[in-house]
Each structure stands twice: as structure tokens, then as C-alpha cells.
Amino acid sequence: MDRRRLLQMMAAAPLVLGGSRLYAAPAASGNRLLIVFMRGAYDAASLLVPTSSDFYYESRPSIAIARPGSGDGAALPLADGWGLHPALADSLLPFYRNKQLAFVPFAGTDDLTRSHFETQNSIELGQGAKKEGNYRSGFLNRLTLALGASAVQPAAFTSEVPQILRGDARVPNVDLGGANRKSRLSDADNRAIAAMYRDTDLHASVDEGQRIMGATKQELDAEMQAANGNAVSTDKLEKEIRRIARFMSDRYNVGFVDVGGWDTHVGQGGATGSLAGRLGQLGRALAAYADAMGPAWNHTTVVVISEFGRTFRENGNKGTDHGHGTVYWVMGGNVRGGHIAGRQVAVRQDTLFQDRDYPVLNEYRGVFAGLFSRLYGLDKARLAKVFPGVALVDIGLV
């Protein structure tokens, strides 16, 4: 490209102050943004492992991911005393090494309800803990209005338009098909088991056991359903992600998809197990998305978020409970990756929030505002329409 053409392009693009330097803001229509919402609050300390923290290993005798170099199932070394879950070795580690993936620990909202539904809803609305202002629309819908319909074509890859995309701008949804959780034992199976023991001394015990298991399963299923909403499962997303990529490379440039199954109160596992399996599926899905985007990947940003983190210490059921701070993932062909971004603190008992959780040092609205300013060249006035009263936090993700 000759110097004259370059100067013409720079003159046509507004200059935006980012940190201590000026850069040319890209055209909104040229960028592609996909937000992936992990509904259910995943255990971020298993994804991004604080391998330099002795306290981490003291707090998780059953589910900790071993330090790098300690054999099979060990964490994959990253930077600054952090490691990556081994289930992501073949899928996401290459993107980190190619500087197309960054992690933002101690991220999230200042909302302390620890309620799946309430926190998911407030994040999608773009609210803080005080819930001030008239938030009747989601922040991606407000972003669409701030950029203009001619520049942005948003879409929700969900069973219905989620709160984050509801508002004055009309947004289509592409239903990938939600996953209905079903018991492995049907009603007929349970009746057959009961019949086997009907005339034996074990009848009363079996009947009581089935009643208790049924009630317990109903309670756990109700919580999981509330946590997941109508989100697809990780295996479903892995199968459908290339279809999403086709839509995002050809037709839409702002997208949203949610994926459930992250509420791991019981039997979470460590290097292997239920959480490891889901992380592996999500990692493969994101790698497939990058491949299917083709040349558009160079102008793509994927942000993976969750409503909150989980307790730093494992519970008595070898799982983790509802927490506070979490870890965001930022991935894409235009991402400045290969590092751990944002404000951080040493992982020790005295730095935990309320002696139980990661603190939130990188508030989600400021992080997204900083990202939007870099991706779309939004000035303060237009950012205020997306996140009223929030100062942007530029941590140089793109």
C-alpha cells in the first residue's frame, strides 16, 4: 500500500485516545464480535490455574490442577505464575502462544447476590450492584444503536432473543436447539426396580431411596435449569459452532451465544472429570470457530464470560459453590494476546474476597467499554449510551 493511500485511510478514520497513544479506529462493519456466556458460573481457578500459589493447593486437596511439569494432567505453563487447564492443550494453547488469546482474571460484576438469574440478568442489562438508571434494554442492543443500523447487524444464536440483545434495535435469533436434561432412568425403569423388590424385606428401603433420589434430583435439576436458562450444552455448541461461524462471516457482525452446564457443586473433577470434559468441548468449539471464520478471523473478537466465579476452596462434595470474581477469555485474530491482562493480585488467603472468593478488580462494564472504544472508536458520549456513568478501562486487549 502506498503512503498516499495510507494517509487517506487514516484521515477517514477517527483517532481515539487509548492509554497514552493515538490509534485509528476501525470501521464498525469490518469487525466481528461474538460474546459467549458460560451460564452456571464456571470454576475459573481450574481454567486459569494459580500455579505459584501454595494456598491454591492447600484449598483444593481433591480438585486442584497439578503444577506444570509434574506429569500427566499437569497445568500448561503460561505467564506470571499462571497455568492453563490441560484439557485445552490442543485447542486453545496454540492461540495463546500465537498471541491471539488473553485471559482477564479477577473480572466480573460488583453484584453480590450470587444468584444465577439475578446476576446474569444484571450483566446482560449492563447494570452494577446499585442498579441505578432505567435499564430496559441489553447493553449489546444499546451498542447496536450507538453504532447505527448501517454498521451493525447483530444476531442471537439462542432459543429466543436474550436480555443482552433486547431493546429498540430489532435483533433476529437463530435457534441452535437447547439441551433438555433427562434422567438416565425412565419412569418405566423406576417402576421395574420397585417391582423387583416389592415382596422382599428391602421393599421399604428401596422405595424410600427412590423417593429421596427423586426429590434430590428434582432439586438439583431445578437449580441447574435456573443456572442454564435455555443455553445449549457444550457438546451441542461444538457441533453447531461452524454454522454460527458461517452466519458471522457472511451476514452478522455482532453475535451472542450461551452455553450451560457449569454449576459444579458436586463431583467437579480436576484434570479429568465433568468440568474438564466441558472445558475441552468449549475449547474445541472455539478453535473450530476460528478455523471456520476463514479470513474474517483477522477481524474477529470473541469474549467468553460467566455471571460469577466459584468458591476458591473446594466443598465437602468435591465441588465448588457460588463465588464472586471470575476469569474472562478474549480471543481473536485482532486480539493482543499471549498474556494475562488487567489488574491482578497475588492469590493468597488474605487477598480473597470475604475469605472465600476471587475479588473483582476488573469490573465488566469498564472492560467492555474499553474494548468497544478500541474496536469501534466510540467516544465518551456514545459509550455513555451503552454504559451510563461508567468509565472505560483500557487494558489493551485489541
Side-chain angles (χ1 to χ4, degrees), residues 308-358:
F308 43 72
R310 305 194 74 81
T311 48
F312 192 73
R313 298 176 181 88
E314 69 176 76
N315 63 25
N317 294 315
K318 298 182 180 181
T320 50
D321 299 318
H322 299 176
H324 189 45
T326 186
V327 176
Y328 289 175
W329 322 0
V330 185
M331 176 179 174
N334 60 355
V335 168
R336 297 171 60 188
H339 68 289
I340 312 302
R343 291 183 59 202
Q344 300 172 43
V345 66
V347 178
R348 304 188 306 263
Q349 182 174 356
D350 63 298
T351 61
L352 293 184
F353 176 75
Q354 297 182 346
D355 192 35
R356 54 172 282 160
D357 310 317
Y358 274 161

Side-chain angles (χ1 to χ4, degrees), residues 14 146-147 376-387:
L147 294 174
Y376 305 117
L378 290 181
D379 55 21
K380 290 183 178 180
R382 288 195 292 170
L383 279 174
K385 295 180 180 178
V386 183
F387 296 114

Side-chain angles (χ1 to χ4, degrees), residues 5-211:
R5 176 58 178 156
L6 178 61
L7 290 173
Q8 289 175 338
M9 290 178 64
M10 293 182 65
L15 291 178
V16 179
L17 183 63
S20 60
R21 66 190 182 94
L22 291 171
Y23 63 93
S29 59
N31 289 306
R32 287 164 174 81
L33 171 67
L34 178 69
I35 294 180
V36 180
F37 203 129
M38 301 167 74
R39 296 197 190 274
Y42 85 107
D43 179 44
S46 287
L47 178 279
L48 186 66
V49 185
T51 55
S52 61
S53 170
D54 291 337
F55 179 60
Y56 168 79
Y57 292 98
E58 295 167 4
S59 301
R60 297 183 166 218
S62 302
I63 63 173
I65 310 300
R67 286 187 168 98
S70 56
D72 292 342
L76 310 166
L78 301 179
D80 304 324
W82 295 98
L84 185 65
H85 194 290
L88 302 169
D90 296 329
S91 58
L92 294 193
L93 184 61
F95 288 91
Y96 180 88
R97 289 176 172 169
N98 289 334
K99 301 187 184 305
Q100 294 187 353
L101 171 63
F103 295 101
V104 186
F106 312 109
T109 172
D110 55 359
D111 188 311
L112 294 177
T113 63
R114 292 190 174 91
S115 160
H116 292 295
F117 175 78
E118 289 186 33
T119 311
Q120 289 172 13
N121 192 58
S122 66
I123 287 176
E124 291 183 62
L125 287 169
Q127 291 179 322
K130 295 181 180 179
K131 296 180 172 55
E132 297 173 341
N134 184 12
Y135 288 83
R136 292 179 296 181
S137 61
F139 77 79
L140 279 187
N141 194 285
R142 298 196 297 272
L143 174 67
T144 299
L145 294 175
L147 294 174
S150 62
V152 179
Q153 293 80 43
F157 301 98
T158 52
S159 60
E160 58 185 27
V161 178
Q163 181 62 65
I164 197 170
L165 278 165
R166 292 178 188 171
D168 292 336
R170 298 186 64 182
V171 178
N173 69 293
V174 180
D175 188 357
L176 302 176
N180 294 320
R181 295 174 56 83
K182 295 182 179 180
S183 170
R184 293 183 179 181
L185 292 178
S186 66
D187 291 340
D189 293 330
N190 285 319
R191 287 194 297 270
I193 293 172
M196 288 172 58
Y197 293 94
R198 182 169 296 132
D199 298 322
T200 72
D201 294 338
L202 295 176
H203 169 68
S205 297
V206 170
D207 185 63
E208 176 68 5
Q210 286 188 319
R211 186 187 66 78

